[in-house]
Amino acid sequence: MTFSTDSAAPPSIISLPRQPMTGARTAPFLPMSRAEMKQLGWDACDIILVTGDGYIDHPSFGMALIGRLLEAQGFRVGIISQPDWKSAEPFRALGRPRLFFGVTAGNMDSMINRYTADRKPRSDDAYTPHGEAGKRPDRAVVVYAQRCREAFPGVDIMIGGIEGSLRRIAQYDYWSDKVRQSVLAYAKADLLLFGNAERALLEVAHRAAHGERLAQMRDIRGTAFLTSQGWRPDDSWQEIDSTTVDAPGRVDPHPDPYAMEPVNPAPSDPSAPQPVRLISAAERVRQRKAQRAKTVVRLPAYEAVAYDPVLYAHASRTLHLESNPGNARALVQAHGERDVWINPPPIPLTTPEMDYVYDLHYARQPHPSYGNARFPAWDMIRFSVNIMRGCFGGCTFCSITEHEGRIIQSRSEESILQEIEHIRDKTPGFTGHITDLGGPTANMYRLACKDRNIEASCRRLSCVYPGICENLNTDHSDLIQLYRKARAVPGVKRITIGSGVRYDLAVESPEYIRELATHHVSGYLKIAPEHTEDGPLSKMMKPGIGSYERFKALFERFSQQAGKKQYLIPYFIAAHPGTSDEDMLNLALWLKHNGFKPDQVQAFTPTPMALATTMWHTGRNPLKKLARSSEKVEVIKDAYRRKLHKAFLRYHDAENWPLLREALVKMGRADLIGHGPQQLIPPESGAARPGAAKSVRAPHGKPLGKRPTVAGKPQSRPPATQKKTGRR
């Protein structure tokens, strides 16, 4: 077996040879029953995908995208959607797969899907018919994998999706309030795929079709697996011990790809004149890549991070530093007598490959077996288009980067415009309104590092924090051109942008803000500064409020020039690590000064693998090198302070006034209690002044909407679509 984690461009997924199983036939829907298999002429499925979501045949839903991609490669793919997990029988519905089961919890982590930030069960599930709750188990990946094994002993099982991806190493679990082992240890799967898995998935499927078992596939980027402790692919590999809080080897500085440096080999005759051989920085980078491709970094063991907060924070920092596909090394973490081996992240898809994935045959509707059942997630995205993947923002509370990566993967204009036409022609209920052209963010389309050599060597956690990197291209002209062409598609009457706008990038392109305000906002634009104070913003890796103010000024100017009354709706997080009571008070005063009265607010939810979750669990800051004496981060865990921080955001709600009065007195800020314009809440005896009844409305008289909910980014109420994975 040849083991390689080389970051050189792999073969295109478009050029892979097609398997002969299905011929050239495309199924109207991937089968969910034996009867549907019979109609297709199948006696068995090659691959069966088990998902915690209802089956909607649309590229925003992970199992549909993966299933159609496998189908396009010639595999017979079946879907088991939301099976009753209380026995193994529902997992036998389609028979034994010829190659393997693929298991996912769905577009969201099952725990985030089912529980609120206060650990209370949710009353609905956006990915289930009629929004019905309780149709998937807690920790669905583990339960489904175990049931597959019970249904067919000896079958190969692969796990993935966002739940598997974000739980690939030992991770803090908010709902059990403890550090849990890698999901591989519980699921006992043969292979785990993490991140955007198309490239790895196709390699696994084709190799399985040629007789290779999943447990033998240990050389594929974007995969993780359990192995015996100390296993190495071959003797040429070296291990870096990073089981302590010392740094895991030298962190290379940004190389100058055009620089030359002298290299003097050891002379055979030291007294003789020695020639100076010059080696380019690019050659240096190639040599380092070759070395890194044969290096594995050993993280502190599960048993260590489970009880040592400093080592947990150190392991988290190390993992995030090894996230750039251009220079990431393999990672290994002991779990008892076994190791979890994590290969480097997958190489991002090229634009032609992205087009190939999104241009496949999708029915663009829920499976007919659901009848007229309503899916809230489907309602949200049925008229929207995913134009890109990834995010280089690096917000610590968000898991987009861990799952989709920092390198933006963009579709071509032609592919996007074609999908708009498909929505127009094939999606029932379309009236001419495209509700979004976006992704994890609205405005990172085709933005990238100006130099690929620098990009491949970079180890920054964010391209835009603490400031926008000088090597980042911030030109929005491609996106502006896309908007204009999309508006010109016959039958399209209006296009609005539903994904969050990264406003610190947008201010670098005022023409983009003009285009947005003039054509793509329907009265309100949701935007997320998250906070106003430097303390919490530095722990979020978010820009200062000044960037928001600059965006606001441009947005209001261009809205006025367009003759439109439009407003920004800012969103904020309460109780984020690094936030003091004084920070929340200052935010509340800012809200009142600017006339904002938020209707619903969101408390920070620790989600698997996020850097902010590391802060919340350990009280340490993984954004900096760790030591026993490292900076400690203030965290808000007790229910009283979490409630108080949320109350500051809803300072205008009379139900919160008793709590706020008590807190202001304790903080020595009783001067903020009164009826004056500079005071925050009224005194107890006076209640509100006449005409100042409880209001949850913005200064322009319209209610502030609910916080946008989007999937892929596990937050307290993540969304209804995989493509909208974060708010910026």
Side-chain angles (χ1 to χ4, degrees):
M1 177 180 70
T2 300
F3 192 106
S4 174
T5 54
D6 188 4
S7 60
S12 170
I13 64 172
I14 304 171
S15 64
L16 295 173
R18 181 184 171 92
Q19 297 294 324
M21 289 77 162
T22 62
R25 185 174 182 182
T26 300
F29 286 86
L30 300 175
M32 292 178 63
S33 67
R34 291 290 189 104
E36 292 174 82
M37 290 170 57
K38 185 177 180 180
Q39 290 176 356
L40 295 169
W42 300 359
D43 59 350
C45 291
D46 300 308
I47 299 165
I48 296 176
L49 304 177
V50 182
T51 176
D53 291 341
Y55 171 32
I56 299 176
D57 199 56
H58 185 282
S60 286
F61 297 84
M63 282 301 95
L65 185 148
I66 291 300
R68 289 300 189 181
L69 178 62
L70 288 167
E71 179 192 51
Q73 294 288 313
F75 295 99
R76 296 171 296 181
V77 183
I79 300 278
I80 297 179
S81 170
Q82 297 187 319
D84 183 352
W85 66 92
K86 298 177 181 65
S87 76
E89 192 57 34
F91 295 80
R92 300 187 179 105
L94 303 182
R96 185 187 184 102
R98 191 176 69 88
L99 300 180
F100 59 84
F101 276 107
V103 174
T104 176
N107 273 20
M108 289 173 58
D109 183 282
S110 58
M111 302 303 290
I112 298 165
N113 180 278
R114 190 171 180 189
Y115 297 97
T116 69
D118 296 323
R119 298 189 178 99
K120 296 179 180 178
R122 299 189 189 280
S123 59
D124 62 345
D125 181 341
Y127 295 91
T128 300
H130 303 296
E132 184 179 356
K135 288 295 185 179
R136 76 188 82 208
D138 291 355
R139 314 188 199 289
V141 165
V142 172
V143 176
Y144 289 161
Q146 291 174 346
R147 285 289 185 253
C148 288
R149 187 79 72 193
E150 182 181 344
F152 298 103
V155 72
D156 280 2
I157 297 175
M158 178 181 69
I159 60 176
I162 194 163
E163 181 167 307
S165 185
L166 300 184
R167 296 178 182 270
R168 59 188 184 263
I169 66 166
Q171 85 290 158
Y172 173 74
D173 182 79
Y174 174 63
W175 296 271
S176 59
D177 192 25
K178 67 178 183 180
V179 176
R180 291 177 63 87
Q181 298 182 56
S182 165
V183 67
L184 278 164
Y186 298 107
K188 297 179 173 57
D190 299 288
L191 203 61
L192 181 153
L193 269 60
F194 62 88
N196 292 315
E198 290 93 345
R199 199 181 299 285
L201 174 72
L202 292 187
E203 183 171 352
V204 169
H206 282 287
R207 287 168 61 169
H210 286 88
E212 192 173 350
R213 300 298 297 270
L214 267 60
Q216 298 172 307
M217 301 180 193
R218 297 186 169 186
D219 58 342
I220 302 174
R221 295 180 69 99
T223 64
F225 49 87
L226 282 169
T227 183
S228 57
Q229 201 168 93
W231 175 86
R232 295 289 174 273
D234 57 56
D235 293 338
S236 65
W237 278 68
Q238 64 172 333
E239 177 181 301
I240 294 180
D241 184 356
S242 187
T243 57
T244 69
V245 291
D246 295 326
R250 181 166 62 109
V251 175
D252 299 326
H254 273 202
D256 179 350
Y258 307 107
M260 307 288 284
E261 68 176 19
V263 176
N264 296 312
S268 56
D269 181 3
S271 63
Q274 298 301 319
V276 175
R277 180 168 64 87
L278 297 179
I279 180 172
S280 68
E283 175 61 25
R284 258 194 347 270
V285 170
R286 281 192 291 271
Q287 292 175 359
R288 288 173 185 162
K289 281 185 179 179
Q291 183 181 26
R292 295 175 78 86
K294 295 282 188 177
T295 300
V296 61
V297 178
R298 179 166 290 280
L299 301 174
Y302 158 71
E303 290 79 6
V305 300
Y307 300 103
D308 189 328
V310 175
L311 287 182
Y312 183 99
H314 168 66
S316 175
R317 173 175 170 80
T318 303
L319 179 138
H320 285 82
L321 287 174
E322 301 295 338
S323 62
N324 182 344
N327 60 50
R329 295 169 285 194
L331 301 171
V332 65
Q333 184 178 52
H335 282 58
E337 297 180 354
R338 298 174 298 173
D339 279 345
V340 172
W341 182 287
I342 304 173
N343 282 325
I347 302 297
L349 297 183
T350 64
T351 292
E353 289 173 322
M354 284 282 286
D355 290 351
Y356 173 69
V357 169
Y358 282 90
D359 292 347
L360 294 171
H361 174 82
Y362 298 97
R364 309 188 72 83
Q365 297 181 54
H367 189 275
S369 64
Y370 299 118
N372 295 321
R374 174 179 169 268
F375 283 82
W378 169 238
D379 293 341
M380 180 177 181
I381 58 86
R382 64 195 304 185
F383 304 129
S384 65
V385 181
N386 190 352
I387 66 175
M388 46 77 69
R389 285 182 184 168
C391 179
F392 48 70
C395 300
T396 62
F397 53 80
C398 173
S399 297
I400 294 173
T401 298
E402 288 84 349
H403 187 59
E404 296 194 14
R406 290 184 177 82
I407 297 175
I408 303 302
Q409 304 162 71
S410 301
R411 296 169 62 184
S412 69
E413 285 183 354
E414 293 75 18
S415 175
I416 295 166
L417 297 177
Q418 178 178 287
E419 183 168 350
I420 292 175
E421 293 174 349
H422 287 167
I423 292 173
R424 178 195 63 194
D425 299 336
K426 299 181 179 181
T427 305
F430 181 65
T431 60
H433 180 195
I434 298 295
T435 55
D436 193 22
L437 295 179
T441 59
N443 59 319
M444 287 187 183
Y445 180 70
R446 291 190 178 175
L447 300 189
C449 189
K450 296 174 182 177
D451 188 287
R452 292 200 173 189
N453 290 324
I454 293 176
E455 178 183 73
S457 302
C458 183
R459 291 170 66 82
R460 286 181 59 164
L461 298 178
S462 171
C463 297
V464 291
Y465 184 86
I468 296 175
C469 177
E470 61 182 6
N471 296 307
L472 180 66
N473 167 35
T474 59
D475 183 4
H476 286 53
S477 58
D478 286 335
L479 185 55
I480 293 170
Q481 177 177 277
L482 173 63
Y483 285 178
R484 291 172 179 172
K485 289 185 176 181
R487 293 200 305 270
V489 172
V492 173
K493 300 176 183 178
R494 182 173 52 148
I495 297 175
T496 51
I497 302 304
S499 298
V501 174
R502 185 80 194 199
Y503 51 88
D504 52 342
L505 283 174
V507 296
E508 298 294 313
S509 180
E511 185 58 29
Y512 170 74
I513 303 176
R514 182 195 299 273
E515 192 79 11
L516 185 70
T518 304
H519 300 287
H520 300 289
V521 177
S522 293
Y524 303 96
L525 180 67
K526 298 168 184 175
I527 197 165
E530 307 298 2
H531 218 285
T532 58
E533 305 306 294
D534 290 341
L537 287 173
S538 68
K539 303 304 182 292
M540 298 175 182
M541 288 212 301
K542 288 284 287 188
I545 198 66
S547 294
Y548 166 82
E549 299 288 358
R550 290 192 293 274
F551 178 86
K552 179 175 181 288
L554 289 169
F555 179 80
E556 290 178 345
R557 188 215 309 172
F558 293 136
S559 294
Q560 184 178 19
Q561 290 177 1
K564 296 183 176 183
K565 291 184 178 181
Q566 300 180 148
Y567 308 93
L568 295 178
I569 300 180
Y571 288 102
F572 302 91
I573 295 179
H576 189 280
T579 307
S580 66
D581 297 348
E582 289 75 15
D583 290 329
M584 293 306 301
L585 170 58
N586 289 335
L587 174 52
L589 293 171
W590 183 92
L591 288 169
K592 182 169 185 179
H593 174 75
N594 286 275
F596 288 114
K597 298 179 179 180
D599 182 16
Q600 292 192 354
V601 299
Q602 180 166 295
F604 169 72
T605 304
T607 57
M609 202 182 286
L611 285 165
T613 299
T614 298
M615 298 180 200
W616 196 89
H617 169 58
T618 68
R620 304 304 199 280
N621 184 4
L623 301 179
K624 300 178 180 179
K625 181 179 176 180
L626 272 298
R628 295 289 171 186
S629 58
S630 291
E631 167 195 10
K632 293 189 177 181
V633 178
E634 182 172 13
V635 292
I636 301 86
K637 294 188 177 183
D638 65 273
Y640 172 82
R641 290 192 66 202
R642 285 175 69 86
K643 184 178 180 180
L644 174 62
H645 283 207
K646 292 174 70 174
F648 272 122
L649 288 180
R650 286 183 49 78
Y651 66 91
H652 52 85
D653 187 343
E655 292 183 2
N656 291 324
W657 291 347
L659 177 63
L660 291 176
R661 289 189 195 104
E662 178 186 356
L664 289 173
V665 170
K666 289 181 179 178
M667 296 167 67
R669 295 307 309 271
D671 58 298
L672 294 175
I673 303 173
H675 292 300
Q678 302 302 318
Q679 293 169 311
L680 187 64
I681 56 174
E684 184 174 1
S685 58
R689 288 174 298 171
K694 174 185 172 184
S695 170
V696 292
R697 296 177 180 272
H700 38 78
K702 299 281 183 80
L704 292 177
K706 294 182 179 180
R707 188 177 191 91
T709 56
V710 290
K713 165 191 169 182
Q715 273 267 61
S716 71
R717 187 47 176 157
T721 161
Q722 183 169 357
K723 78 184 188 63
K724 297 180 178 177
T725 47
R727 51 175 209 290
R728 309 267 47 98

